[in-house]
Amino acid sequence: MKRVLLLAGQVILAGIFIYAGYAKLREPWIQFAVSLNSFRLLPAGALEPLAKFMPWSELALGIAILSGVMLRWSALVASLLLTLFFAVLIRSYAIGLQVDCGCFGAGEADLGPLRLAEEAAMLALAAAVTIGAFRRRSAGREPVPADAADRDAGLTHPA
Amino acid sequence: MRTLLLLLPSLTLLGQTAHKPAVANFKETGSASAPITLELYTDYQCPSCRAFYMDVLPTVISKYVATGKVRLIHRDFPLPQHSYTRTATKYANAAGQLGLYDIVAAQIFRTQPDWEQNGNVDGDVAKVVPPGEMQKIRDLVKNDPHLDDTVTADLALGNQDRVGETPTLVIVRKGGQRQKIGGMVPLNVLESYLDQLLAKG
């Protein structure tokens, strides 16, 4: 059951990142640069490189999560990224900035409680997948009890 | 006789309404054959539009419009939540009919923090327009029933372009491909993007 939940979370998280990257890439990069600028955090010189780089990195991260290769680390990176995005959105909301976050392309609803709740849900999902992936890994590394190993191999112990 | 013939058009004009537009395309600047057209949707009471107008537009005009690379079209997109933007738009467009659009639009944006407090656009415009011309602008604002026609047309175009905020730039390329960019575009970003589009041809 836990494996199924982890797999479902992995697929959903991957889908979120792949869609976020795709939605930005189908628009001209200038639109995402404008969205980034609306947060008033980045220097003007950083807008273009970040607007061009970030959609591809989101796409790559989504594919990495979907593939399951090094899932612990890709899920951890996703969690850290979403933590950063969430913090930025909270800050923008707190100081009353009117931002179009551009997270899934231009023209999203204004930043408000609903948008923050969505972001929090994504962060919770990423955290759950990360924890699940690390637990699965550590469970796989636990030494198998000798009895169980022998039983699986069809051996018996002397009484 | 020849003089009379030459004067005839002027006499005909005098017989018409005094509010006949003097400059039909006062919202357009630059070469019609420019490879890129920028359609700029703004609201006179929007702070980001003011920032765009004051910080970005002068360089765009000198670097791209004046050199024939870009044609600029200003489109009015007054937002309903702004109490005095319609008044400001009327003054700008009335000034446009007298050939004073650039100076008055610039003054309206520059003095936005003043008139948005009390709606006294007139007072701020009067500071940069000679008294005689100012009276003509007032007459147009009060009496010209067609003063808002271009605004209505701009709003219709904006709705077609699904403009949802101001400023919004619509970048139109030679083939007619339209790209809508909503929000305040920083100068360096816009320069870089325009340079890339121009390099592509």
Side-chain angles (χ1 to χ4, degrees):
Chain A
M1 184 61 185
K2 282 182 181 173
R3 280 186 96 163
V4 174
L5 278 177
L6 179 61
L7 184 64
Q10 181 185 339
V11 170
I12 294 169
L13 188 62
I16 288 169
F17 273 90
I18 290 171
Y19 180 70
Y22 164 75
K24 293 180 188 89
L25 287 171
R26 72 182 172 181
E27 292 172 345
W29 65 263
I30 187 175
Q31 182 62 74
F32 187 47
V34 170
S35 295
L36 289 172
N37 184 53
S38 69
F39 290 102
R40 297 183 200 171
L41 277 171
L42 296 163
L47 296 171
E48 182 179 349
L50 202 58
K52 288 178 172 175
F53 169 76
M54 207 159 135
W56 287 108
S57 62
E58 285 178 329
L59 202 61
L61 186 58
I63 291 168
I65 293 169
L66 190 64
S67 74
V69 178
M70 297 173 67
L71 178 63
R72 291 168 300 151
W73 304 111
S74 53
L76 181 63
V77 170
S79 297
L80 293 174
L81 264 180
L82 286 168
T83 304
L84 177 68
F85 297 160
F86 190 51
V88 169
L89 288 179
I90 290 274
R91 171 196 172 269
S92 305
Y93 184 65
I95 62 175
L97 286 184
Q98 288 189 334
V99 295
D100 170 3
C101 86
C103 310
F104 298 99
E108 291 178 32
D110 287 342
L111 181 57
L114 183 65
R115 184 73 197 83
L116 292 174
E118 286 173 7
E119 197 69 22
M122 287 188 279
L123 176 55
L125 174 68
V129 171
T130 307
I131 292 167
F134 270 94
R135 279 191 178 166
R136 187 181 68 178
R137 175 70 176 184
S138 59
R141 274 186 178 166
E142 279 173 10
V144 180
D147 286 359
D150 290 350
R151 201 167 46 244
D152 289 348
L155 301 174
T156 53
H157 283 273
Chain B
M1 183 63 190
R2 193 176 166 192
T3 311
L4 273 176
L5 283 172
L6 284 172
L7 282 172
L8 197 57
S10 307
L11 293 169
T12 311
L13 278 176
L14 281 174
Q16 293 176 356
T17 168
H19 304 312
K20 183 78 179 169
V23 187
N25 59 346
F26 60 85
K27 291 184 183 178
E28 299 184 18
T29 323
S31 166
S33 60
I36 292 173
T37 298
L38 289 183
E39 296 183 13
L40 174 61
Y41 289 89
T42 57
D43 168 305
Y44 285 104
Q45 206 174 335
C46 135
S48 296
C49 299
R50 178 177 188 263
F52 188 89
Y53 196 92
M54 295 182 71
D55 302 338
V56 178
L57 212 51
T59 304
V60 170
I61 289 171
S62 64
K63 190 173 171 184
Y64 298 98
V65 178
T67 54
K69 295 173 183 169
V70 166
R71 178 169 160 241
L72 179 68
I73 302 177
H74 181 98
R75 298 207 184 283
D76 293 313
F77 202 78
L79 298 171
Q81 65 265 36
H82 290 153
S83 323
Y84 303 120
T85 189
R86 284 278 182 173
T87 305
T89 307
K90 280 179 189 287
Y91 273 83
N93 291 338
Q97 294 195 20
L98 303 171
L100 297 167
Y101 180 73
D102 289 341
I103 188 171
V104 169
Q107 174 71 353
I108 290 173
F109 273 123
R110 194 164 35 242
T111 58
Q112 184 197 79
D114 298 333
W115 58 260
E116 75 170 350
Q117 305 297 324
N118 52 21
N120 186 17
V121 180
D122 187 285
D124 284 318
V125 171
K127 290 174 188 167
V128 292
V129 174
E133 298 295 299
M134 190 62 212
Q135 194 49 52
K136 289 178 188 170
I137 290 175
R138 287 180 182 130
D139 288 345
L140 285 167
V141 168
K142 274 188 186 169
N143 304 318
D144 188 346
H146 299 295
L147 195 57
D148 284 337
D149 286 358
T150 60
V151 182
T152 308
D154 286 348
L155 280 168
L157 281 169
N159 289 329
Q160 273 180 29
D161 281 321
R162 297 185 179 182
V163 171
E165 62 183 316
T166 56
T168 288
L169 266 179
V170 176
I171 300 174
V172 189
R173 297 174 69 184
K174 265 290 182 194
Q177 183 192 355
R178 301 172 75 82
Q179 289 178 340
K180 184 186 75 174
I181 313 296
M184 168 67 191
V185 187
L187 177 60
N188 70 319
V189 169
L190 184 57
E191 282 182 304
S192 177
Y193 191 69
L194 289 176
D195 288 343
Q196 287 171 29
L197 287 183
L198 290 165
K200 281 182 192 170

